[in-house]
Amino acid sequence: MRLTDQEQEILKGKHGEAPRIALSVLVDLGEVFGAQEMMRVSQVHIDMTIYMVDAGVEFAERLADLGGKVAVPTSLNPSAIDLERWKEYRAPAKLLDKSRRLENAYLRMGATPTWTCVPYQQGMIPRFGEQIAWGESNAIAFANSIIGARTNRYGDLMDICAAIIGKVPKFGLHLTENRKAEVLIQLKEISREMFENKAIYPLLGFLIGEMAGDRVAAIKGIPQDVKIDSLKGLCAAAASSGAVGLLHIIGVTPEAQSLEMCLQGTKPREILQIMPKMIQDAEERLSTAKEDMADLIIVGCPHFSFAEFRELAQLMEGRKVNRSVTFWAITSRAVFGWIKNCGILKDLTDSGVMVFTDVCPLQYPKETWHFNGTMTNSGKFANYCFSQTGLDVTFGSLEECVDTAVTGKLCRRESPWGKN
Ligand code: F3S
């Protein structure tokens, strides 16, 4: 790679050991991907805030001990626990200790304590075309696709290196030519009634991710009035079933006002279709539970927005969570403050819903939780749940999650795609 004089000085350690380590990691990354030079980014989102392995803690602590400081605004993904309500979350001591160490390391380096996987709904919002370096797959897909900002799928630990240097190697989705759609996915025979059931969006995302893999896809047939939270759920699911960094939704997303626009004058290499039967099939495949068992309901993956809480509160109005069920709704600290101020938090708490912040439920603490099965309206959580936590899962709409929580029995409603 061609490095500037200043970058060469950093590599020689003239600006300190933390920048030297960070830049050497980024240069290695750039050389693997054939980048010619480094480029500036204006903000970073750190993924490796969820304790998974000791190496993640030790790397962050080492950079902090060496005086590493972030050079650009840097947001933080969730922790493995609710950092304030960890007792109610029944966080085991080991997880609490490791999470606290991660928290301290990133805060010492100057990161913003957002503790959310939806920085794009919490004030860390890049503009169209802005070059950023984000970790966290749902956030990456959302930033590239829905906002039109530019980031690669930065892996754990690359993100903090990018934050310390304020630069990344110039390759991949940072470049216009790599943002053109290669595969066209057409939605066929999907009625308006189907789109009115919001559960369709994570299911479509799951299918799109499987079909696209690591290719940029253009999607034809999503209604123009799709809500932002539905796009959030679609991106999250797509980035879990495939290595999706960018998808174009024709007529919806900014680089896809037309098919021609997102193809950049080329033709798609492949044209695929999604039919109602495939959506039904995806719903079945996302459910691993063999029995009608769900004693834990989890919503808020990605973290719930204020609008999603309003909807949940309306569905819970006048109802109570059954004593045999635990119902968790997860969000950011910012949204938690809003629902507290307007009374939604009290209404939900009174009805038996527990609201947590800061946390990603995929780091399921088996030592202190003893649930038998979970139900979720998240395509991403359903996709990862069994493999990552060992807990069986049933995917369902938010309405079905609430019905199940209230009755204590797994409730299903007939979905419009199931009638086909
Ligand atoms: Fe967020 Fe964890 Fe879901 S990071 S998107 S709550 S799997």
Side-chain angles (χ1 to χ4, degrees):
M1 286 176 70
R2 289 189 308 273
L3 298 179
T4 64
D5 291 347
Q6 192 200 33
E7 288 160 357
Q8 288 181 27
E9 281 181 8
I10 293 173
L11 278 185
K12 284 178 189 151
K14 290 189 179 169
H15 295 255
E17 187 59 4
R20 188 196 68 73
I21 293 171
L23 185 57
S24 62
V25 168
L26 294 169
V27 168
D28 282 353
L29 175 72
E31 284 177 350
V32 167
F33 284 93
Q36 301 292 308
E37 58 187 345
M38 301 291 290
M39 57 176 283
R40 290 190 186 283
V41 288
S42 58
Q43 58 170 274
V44 172
H45 182 68
I46 305 281
D47 185 41
M48 188 59 200
T49 47
I50 305 170
Y51 169 73
M52 292 200 158
V53 290
D54 284 353
V57 182
E58 287 162 11
F59 190 76
E61 285 182 333
R62 175 120 177 90
L63 289 174
D65 290 345
L66 290 169
K69 295 281 178 216
V70 300
V72 291
T74 299
S75 48
L76 296 173
N77 219 32
S79 171
I81 59 169
D82 184 319
L83 291 160
E84 293 189 350
R85 286 160 287 271
W86 51 270
K87 277 192 188 148
E88 294 94 310
Y89 195 70
R90 285 185 269 157
K94 180 180 152 214
L95 202 51
L96 177 64
D97 172 56
K98 308 278 186 186
S99 300
R100 286 284 185 231
R101 285 174 57 190
L102 271 171
E103 180 187 13
N104 288 335
Y106 284 113
L107 295 185
R108 275 161 62 205
M109 287 191 274
T112 311
T114 49
W115 307 117
T116 185
C117 48
V118 292
Y120 50 84
Q121 288 190 321
Q122 306 305 327
M124 303 291 276
I125 307 166
R127 62 176 169 72
F128 175 77
E130 192 166 343
Q131 299 285 3
I132 61 176
W134 278 16
E136 169 50 43
S137 63
N138 100 81
I140 294 161
F142 190 99
N144 273 317
S145 311
I146 313 304
I147 299 173
R150 298 185 173 201
T151 177
N152 285 317
R153 283 172 57 103
Y154 287 102
D156 290 349
L157 310 179
M158 309 278 169
D159 40 25
I160 184 60
C161 294
I164 288 172
I165 301 299
K167 291 181 179 178
V168 290
K170 194 172 182 179
F171 74 99
L173 294 175
H174 290 292
L175 303 173
T176 302
E177 61 268 30
N178 296 328
R179 298 176 70 85
K180 68 170 177 284
E182 294 178 275
V183 54
L184 171 62
I185 300 175
Q186 299 170 321
L187 309 190
K188 291 279 179 188
E189 299 170 20
I190 316 282
S191 64
R192 184 74 213 177
E193 184 196 3
M194 293 181 199
F195 282 116
E196 276 163 14
N197 185 328
K198 289 184 190 147
I200 196 172
Y201 289 99
L203 295 172
L204 286 175
F206 177 69
L207 289 167
I208 289 165
E210 284 188 325
M211 290 173 164
D214 63 355
R215 298 175 296 178
V216 178
I219 319 301
K220 188 173 179 197
I222 301 256
Q224 282 191 310
D225 60 355
V226 56
K227 297 280 185 294
I228 201 83
D229 287 318
S230 295
L231 292 170
K232 176 173 77 172
L234 184 151
C235 286
S240 75
S241 58
V244 170
L246 165 64
L247 50 86
H248 298 293
I249 303 177
I250 298 165
V252 174
T253 56
E255 290 166 82
Q257 295 309 299
S258 65
L259 175 61
E260 294 68 33
M261 185 178 172
C262 60
L263 286 171
Q264 296 182 17
T266 61
K267 287 198 183 323
R269 291 194 185 165
E270 194 175 11
I271 300 178
L272 300 165
Q273 293 185 340
I274 293 179
M275 313 279 284
K277 176 76 186 71
M278 297 163 74
I279 300 172
Q280 167 83 22
D281 176 59
E283 187 167 24
E284 285 163 14
R285 287 190 291 129
L286 275 174
S287 299
T288 60
K290 308 280 180 298
E291 296 170 42
D292 283 358
M293 169 59 73
D295 52 0
L296 173 65
I297 310 293
I298 292 189
V299 299
C301 168
H303 284 178
F304 250 22
S305 67
F306 184 80
E308 289 171 310
F309 270 114
R310 277 179 63 117
E311 192 181 346
L312 175 60
Q314 282 164 3
L315 290 169
M316 284 302 302
E317 197 175 346
R319 304 165 88 188
K320 292 245 184 247
V321 174
N322 192 284
R323 276 198 287 176
S324 63
V325 175
T326 301
F327 193 152
W328 289 353
I330 300 170
T331 191
S332 65
R333 292 180 180 193
V335 170
F336 187 88
W338 299 339
I339 62 168
K340 188 174 176 187
N341 287 351
C342 73
I344 288 177
L345 179 63
K346 181 167 185 328
D347 291 346
L348 287 176
T349 307
D350 288 350
S351 69
V353 176
M354 299 173 78
V355 181
F356 290 107
T357 63
D358 310 336
V359 67
C360 170
L362 270 183
Q363 187 58 303
Y364 173 81
K366 298 182 186 70
E367 300 146 57
T368 49
W369 296 1
H370 303 286
F371 295 109
N372 296 304
T374 187
M375 188 175 200
T376 184
N377 67 339
S378 164
K380 176 177 177 179
F381 188 71
N383 189 26
Y384 286 152
C385 183
F386 183 74
S387 62
Q388 203 149 326
T389 70
L391 191 63
D392 269 316
V393 64
T394 302
F395 174 85
S397 65
L398 185 61
E399 290 82 354
E400 290 171 321
C401 288
V402 168
D403 290 349
T404 300
V406 169
T407 61
K409 296 194 180 95
L410 197 87
C411 295
R412 305 311 309 256
R413 300 183 183 188
E414 189 180 35
S415 53
W417 45 86
K419 292 179 193 163
N420 284 264

